[in-house]
Amino acid sequence: GAHMTVNFSDAAASGTVTFTDTESGADLGSASVVNGQASITLQGLSQGAHTITASYSGDDTHTAQVTTFAVKVLNLGWLPAVLNLLLQ
C-alpha cells in the first residue's frame, strides 16, 4: 500500500485526519494526530491517478481544515526482482 503522512506545523496539534478518495467518495481510513503527524497506509487503490482529500477534525486550538492532493499509483512489483539481480 501507499504510505501517506500529514505533517502539522504545531507538534501539539491533536485530533484526527480522515482520508477520502475524492472521485469515488470511498473512505480510505483515518489516523490520529500524534507528535504533529497523522499517518496511514492506503490499501487497494488501483493503478493510475487519484485525488485524495485529507480532512482534519481540528482541536481546541486548531481549526478544522480540508486539503486535496493528487497521487499516482504505479505497479512496482517488478522492482524487488531487479534489485535482487543487481545485488547478486
Side-chain angles (χ1 to χ4, degrees):
H3 186 75
M4 306 190 102
T5 300
V6 175
N7 294 304
F8 292 79
S9 58
D10 184 354
S14 62
T16 10
V17 177
T18 301
F19 297 87
T20 307
D21 184 323
T22 307
E23 284 93 21
S24 70
D27 180 6
L28 301 174
S30 59
S32 296
V33 179
V34 178
N35 296 324
Q37 292 186 328
S39 297
I40 191 170
T41 300
L42 302 176
Q43 300 289 342
L45 287 178
S46 60
Q47 281 184 250
H50 296 270
T51 304
I52 307 296
T53 299
S55 303
Y56 170 56
S57 64
D59 61 22
D60 290 340
T61 56
H62 303 89
T63 59
Q65 294 186 12
V66 176
T67 188
T68 301
F69 51 93
V71 296
K72 188 169 186 177
V73 178
L74 303 174
N75 179 1
L76 299 178
W78 53 267
L79 188 58
V82 171
L83 290 175
N84 191 38
L85 287 173
L86 293 174
L87 295 174
Q88 289 184 359

